[in-house]
Amino acid sequence: MPQTARATVFRTEHAPLRVTFLVFSGASIMCVASAVDPLRAANRIAGERLFDFRLVSVTGEAPVTTCGLPVAVSGRFDPTEKTDMLAVVAGFGTQNYATAALLSGLRRAARSARAYGGIEAGTWLVGRAGLLDGRAATTHWEDMEDFAAAFPDADVRPDRYVIDGPAFTTGGAAPTFDLMLHLIRSRLGMAVALDVASVFIYDQARAATDAQPLVSLGRLDGYDPRLAQAIRLMEAHVEAPVTVEAIARRAGVTPRTLETIFSRSIGETPGAYYLRLRLTAARKLVTDTRLPLAEIAGRTGFSSASAFSRAFSRAFGQAPVRLRQS
């Protein structure tokens, strides 16, 4: 059956679905749990193993997540082993795993699977294997710009998760939970999906196509809407910062009122929060890319590399060049 004609796994079907999770060291434990636990709960609620899932790693050894917890796997990734759905779960360090052998194995496994995709940074490995060319896709918001540049043949979107034919991609832990609920709902019905959501007291408040925010405020319940608007404006102007006065004006308040809102809700001034937001974005670029520090400074709104280095050192206790060397 040609790739475009594959029967989707996102449809009503009572036959057990074989799902393989290929997990890499550096993945988030929350992403792993968001991928696996909804399927485990669905099996318990249904009273039978309708999601026949297994976790594997490239070496067969337990991958270590970012919090230091290892993930027990049942064995080594075997591209020839039959599976209906292959999900690649990765986080930091994906550039170290993209060997020719692995990418070839991913392509082979994807050819025989009914669905394949990447969870958070697993999208990079799926993309490196050429499996997102001509497909819509997403990844974590922090990597969106670089991801789009790396895969010009993919239609990169800022959505929480994307399904395009056999390919699926998610932007992080919560969107992965959303995707799995969608899979459960598609195959077993709304009642089972709602029961699974209730097990985790999970309120799916957003659609797949909602854009990923830089700062997650959930449903914004309990937040002053002017705070949320101000933060969204800051997110949109990381590379070219605007003044607090301009942000206040756009939020419909005076600068003094905005300071009061931030002080009451976050415990710091709008300017301090804005700087921290930019420096957090910069720290990720320092640790996770090889971009020149001058370019990182420009991407995060600093007028010079020296000004960036001073602000970075004050915030994190060491210069960006020292952090990169550690």
Side-chain angles (χ1 to χ4, degrees):
M1 181 181 294
Q3 178 171 312
T4 54
R6 295 183 198 185
T8 178
V9 299
F10 297 93
R11 67 173 186 175
T12 302
E13 195 171 60
H14 200 75
L17 185 76
R18 295 168 298 180
V19 184
T20 300
F21 293 103
L22 173 55
V23 184
F24 288 83
S25 288
S28 161
I29 192 69
M30 288 189 67
C31 283
V32 176
S34 292
V36 175
D37 235 17
L39 304 188
R40 187 272 312 164
N43 286 341
R44 183 173 66 82
I45 289 165
E48 52 186 313
R49 193 173 176 83
L50 296 177
F51 294 100
D52 185 12
F53 61 86
R54 64 192 300 260
L55 284 72
V56 299
S57 68
V58 171
T59 64
E61 298 177 351
V64 179
T65 58
T66 48
C67 65
L69 290 175
V71 174
V73 295
S74 60
R76 183 192 299 264
F77 172 54
D78 180 357
T80 67
E81 186 169 9
K82 295 296 184 183
T83 191
D84 297 308
M85 183 174 179
L86 172 66
V88 181
V89 189
F92 295 116
T94 53
Q95 67 274 11
N96 300 322
Y97 304 126
T99 64
L102 172 68
L103 301 182
S104 175
L106 291 179
R107 287 190 290 269
R108 181 170 184 174
R111 280 195 297 270
S112 60
R114 293 169 56 192
Y116 59 82
I119 291 172
E120 200 173 82
T123 54
W124 283 86
L125 294 171
V126 175
R128 295 288 184 207
L131 296 170
L132 298 180
D133 292 351
R135 300 282 184 194
T138 191
T139 193
H140 193 276
W141 63 263
E142 292 177 312
D143 295 332
M144 200 73 66
E145 183 178 344
D146 292 334
F147 189 78
F151 306 112
D153 293 329
D155 175 15
V156 179
R157 302 176 181 180
D159 301 0
R160 291 171 63 79
Y161 69 85
V162 173
I163 302 168
D164 186 356
F168 60 87
T169 46
T170 79
T176 298
F177 202 111
D178 293 344
L179 173 71
M180 293 305 165
L181 280 182
H182 175 65
L183 176 67
I184 294 164
R185 182 169 57 246
S186 300
R187 296 182 67 81
L188 306 182
M190 178 63 80
V192 175
L194 289 175
D195 285 346
V196 170
S198 70
V199 166
F200 299 98
I201 318 177
Y202 182 79
D203 185 2
Q204 188 175 7
R206 297 186 178 275
T209 53
D210 284 353
Q212 300 173 37
L214 273 71
V215 179
S216 178
L217 298 178
R219 298 181 66 182
L220 307 182
D221 290 344
Y223 289 93
D224 189 314
R226 296 168 298 182
L227 171 73
Q229 185 177 359
I231 289 176
R232 296 293 180 248
L233 287 168
M234 292 174 183
E235 292 176 330
H237 296 87
V238 167
E239 185 169 346
V242 295
T243 64
V244 170
E245 289 74 15
I247 291 171
R249 187 166 58 250
R250 293 276 297 277
V253 297
T254 65
R256 180 178 292 275
T257 297
L258 189 64
E259 293 217 4
T260 300
I261 292 169
F262 267 77
S263 177
R264 182 175 62 242
S265 302
I266 296 180
E268 59 187 3
T269 66
Y273 179 86
Y274 198 179
L275 177 61
R276 184 158 58 82
L277 181 71
R278 290 162 49 211
L279 286 168
T280 299
R283 181 169 59 178
K284 185 177 189 306
L285 292 174
V286 170
T287 57
D288 296 354
T289 76
R290 304 311 301 171
L291 290 173
L293 295 182
E295 183 174 343
I296 294 175
R299 283 195 182 196
T300 50
F302 291 91
S303 58
S304 67
S306 58
F308 164 60
S309 183
R310 288 194 297 271
F312 194 98
S313 298
R314 285 195 299 269
F316 302 121
Q318 59 181 323
V321 66
R322 296 291 297 274
L323 177 63
R324 178 167 278 180
Q325 291 169 351
S326 63

